[in-house]
Amino acid sequence: MSTFPLRKIIHLDMDAFYASVEQRDNPELRGRPVAVGGARERGVVAAASYEARAFGVRSAMPSVTALRKCPELLFVPPRFAVYKEVSRQIRAIFAEYTPLIEPVSLDEAYLDVTHNLKQLDSATQIAREIRTKILAETQLTASAGISYNKFLAKLASDYRKPNGQFVVRPEQGLAFVEGLAVGQFHGVGPVTAAKMNQLGIFTGADLRAQSVEFLQQHFGKAGRYYHAIARAEDHRPVEADRLRKSVGSETTFATDLTAFADLLDGLRPSIEEVWEYCQRSGILGRTVTVKVKFADFQQITRSRSAVGPIPNQGVLERICRELVEGLFPLPKGVRLLGVTLSNLDTGQPAAGRQLTLSF
């Protein structure tokens, strides 16, 4: 028997978030296949509506591939300021129920509602109320997974998409995991799933049959994690105000860049976005990294650490400029540039709580 207390965890995931916001704000897009992103040759789909997904269009797919799958696909440019504002609205609804909110991205978060501000016993009821409020206040739908740990809650949130919810109770966890393909497990990507399949591991039951030593031999440190989730075990708490380790931004260009001035211009939007986050959050960092992807997809990074936190955008720009100067003469054209600030100084500890369970 585990010595860890059971929790009530909800994983809330907005349905096709970026695309749904665009369809909400533009009635002409409703009911049509929509992709948020660039339609240019090197564009990438940031999000796809459910109408587009029916054709096999997915996020992170090259735009040219998406158009081949769905010639009627409508591309709209992203409006991140709008998405962030809607995300803040949604986060405010979460905060009516619990202070234990762990954002994963703009459109998803974990909530620990074991002890909640409404003093409700049912996590299922809380998830339903939150989804109802999100719809009323934003005209957008959300899906929810409810369970006793984060791993199962994440899996459960995919079960009734879109606009639904699913609960995995403590007595159901092991059986729920057994029948799933390993590729469905959060934390098992396509490459890892293929390697597991080569080893004869196709389902959660197959994975549970392996010893921790076998899994560590083939998957390194991740082996212990795979051993645990095959048994429906995940003791990670919901980390409210989770500390970020870095903040970054990158841009892919329509044509390869070769001139020094063009590279500096190409970096400027990323520099501005990173610094805007620093100003908004009050977080500063000491290490600047410039990421470069060449025309042949070779990727390199160049970093520099300051003695203290980078004090302003001007200093950040100067360090980026010096790092770019060190790349010349360029061996080939550049298709992508990015800026990351790390060694962040937040001055705030992460928080987390866990108590007893009822669903």
Side-chain angles (χ1 to χ4, degrees), residues 27-55:
E28 294 183 1
L29 298 177
R30 294 173 192 169
R32 305 178 69 181
V34 173
V36 176
R40 64 187 187 279
E41 182 179 351
R42 287 186 176 173
V44 174
V45 175
S49 69
Y50 280 96
E51 295 86 354
R53 294 182 188 188
F55 290 88

Side-chain angles (χ1 to χ4, degrees), residues 245-250 267 270-271 274 285-292 299-306 310 316 319-321 323-324 327 336-343:
K245 295 182 179 179
S246 65
V247 55
S249 173
E250 59 187 40
L267 268 180
S270 293
I271 293 171
V274 167
R286 293 193 303 108
T287 301
V288 180
T289 300
V290 171
K291 173 183 173 181
V292 181
Q299 183 174 300
I300 63 171
T301 59
R302 295 293 183 267
S303 299
R304 181 173 301 171
S305 294
I310 306 298
L316 178 60
I319 294 174
C320 288
R321 178 188 180 95
L323 290 172
V324 171
L327 300 173
L336 177 148
L337 286 171
V339 175
T340 299
L341 191 61
S342 56
N343 281 330

Side-chain angles (χ1 to χ4, degrees), residues 39-240:
R40 64 187 187 279
E41 182 179 351
R42 287 186 176 173
V44 174
V45 175
S49 69
Y50 280 96
E51 295 86 354
R53 294 182 188 188
F55 290 88
V57 178
R58 296 288 184 270
S59 61
M61 178 179 286
S63 299
V64 290
T65 303
L67 280 169
R68 282 199 300 269
K69 289 180 175 289
C70 180
E72 304 300 316
L73 189 62
L74 300 173
F75 279 90
V76 294
R79 298 182 298 153
F80 289 108
V82 176
Y83 309 148
K84 289 176 183 177
E85 178 55 35
V86 176
S87 182
R88 280 192 286 268
Q89 285 182 269
I90 295 165
R91 200 78 51 79
I93 294 172
F94 295 163
E96 295 178 20
Y97 291 84
T98 177
L100 296 180
I101 304 164
E102 182 181 325
V104 179
S105 60
L106 290 178
D107 61 340
E108 66 174 306
Y110 293 100
L111 285 64
D112 186 331
V113 297
T114 313
H115 274 196
N116 57 84
L117 301 176
K118 302 280 189 178
Q119 298 185 341
L120 298 172
D121 290 332
S122 170
T124 303
Q125 179 185 348
I126 292 172
R128 188 177 296 114
E129 286 189 12
I130 289 174
R131 292 175 47 245
T132 299
K133 288 192 174 191
I134 289 173
L135 180 60
E137 295 186 20
T138 70
Q139 294 78 57
L140 300 170
T141 63
S143 297
I146 306 105
S147 197
Y148 56 95
N149 64 43
K150 290 164 72 173
F151 170 69
L152 290 173
K154 170 75 173 177
L155 286 177
S157 65
D158 284 333
Y159 254 63
R160 292 289 185 266
K161 269 189 167 292
N163 194 26
Q165 62 184 58
F166 187 78
V167 59
V168 179
R169 303 177 188 278
E171 67 274 14
Q172 299 169 329
L174 197 56
F176 179 74
V177 169
E178 279 184 348
L180 295 178
V182 290
Q184 294 178 261
F185 287 12
H186 180 55
V188 177
V191 174
T192 300
K195 184 175 180 180
M196 287 184 176
N197 292 167
Q198 290 173 353
L199 294 169
I201 303 171
F202 296 93
T203 67
D206 295 334
L207 187 60
R208 194 179 72 183
Q210 311 306 317
S211 68
V212 67
E213 292 78 15
F214 175 87
L215 293 173
Q216 287 180 316
Q217 175 187 346
H218 290 280
F219 301 101
K221 292 181 180 179
R224 187 168 292 279
Y225 170 72
Y226 300 147
H227 185 266
I229 61 176
R231 290 155 178 76
E233 296 175 0
D234 180 8
H235 304 305
R236 297 170 300 159
V238 170
E239 297 179 298

